[in-house]
Amino acid sequence: AKGRATKDGCSGDRNKMDWGIHVGYDIQMGSLVLGAVAEYNMSNIRDSVSAFSTGPDSYVMTRKLGSNAGLRLRAGLATGDTLFFVTGGGAWAKIKNRFETTNTGVAGAPTYATNGNDDAWGYKLGGGVEQRLGGGLSVGLQYIYTSLKDDGYRVNAAGGAAGNAFIRNGAKGTDFRRTGDRFNSSAVSATVNYRF
């Protein structure tokens, strides 16, 4: 699979090859196929957002989508040995966040970085096609859109010199966070399936 993270006002997202396994159950009634799929994937999709202040200083928040799972329902139409389907359901992922800045007044270090691993929940939607080859074996191609709520990561900028702009309005400092609360990605996957 190949994934791409999407969001407003950001470029240079990292697209990587992913892998995963899935198990499922289908029932066929004439040409109608109904089923459920449970999946586990390892992804390497990441995105970054940047901000700048006088100095000049930079502030970068990066997040990476790692292990993720989903439980989806699917419905399809079988025409001979070919199945066309749509699918959707819930999603979970582990998201690793990182913050870096060159501002020496933030936490008193020239380059300050913090890491955080957060659980994120959301949904998956998509569709695809499967082609039966015989002997229980089939191959397929599917597109999955994943949307995860990722709004828990905060970095507090405090300390430093008295003139530090981030403590000007109070000793508690200033929190850095993303303006968007969703981590959205798209993946196109080639699948190999075996039916018992």
Side-chain angles (χ1 to χ4, degrees), residues 68-136:
N68 60 93
L71 184 60
R72 298 182 278 110
L73 298 177
R74 72 176 194 166
L77 181 66
T79 58
D81 290 332
T82 306
L83 171 66
F84 299 92
F85 65 89
V86 293
T87 185
W92 163 89
K94 183 68 75 174
I95 297 177
K96 183 176 183 179
N97 287 280
R98 182 174 175 85
F99 173 81
E100 294 178 281
T101 179
T102 59
N103 187 342
T104 57
V106 176
T111 301
Y112 176 56
T114 64
N115 293 283
N117 287 305
D118 299 317
D119 291 313
W121 298 87
Y123 63 87
K124 293 174 177 269
L125 297 172
V129 59
E130 265 184 47
Q131 180 66 39
R132 186 167 53 193
L133 302 178

Side-chain angles (χ1 to χ4, degrees), residues 150-167:
D150 176 43
D151 64 348
Y153 185 65
R154 301 286 190 275
V155 176
N156 180 257
N164 182 3
F166 297 113
I167 60 172

Side-chain angles (χ1 to χ4, degrees), residues 36-59:
V37 177
E39 62 187 356
Y40 176 82
N41 305 288
M42 283 300 297
S43 300
N44 197 13
I45 302 171
R46 68 180 64 182
D47 70 14
S48 297
V49 291
S50 301
F52 301 90
S53 64
T54 57
D57 293 303
S58 64
Y59 311 86

Side-chain angles (χ1 to χ4, degrees), residues 140-151:
L141 190 67
Q142 69 178 11
Y143 165 80
I144 299 292
Y145 172 81
T146 303
S147 182
L148 300 163
K149 187 167 185 179
D150 176 43
D151 64 348

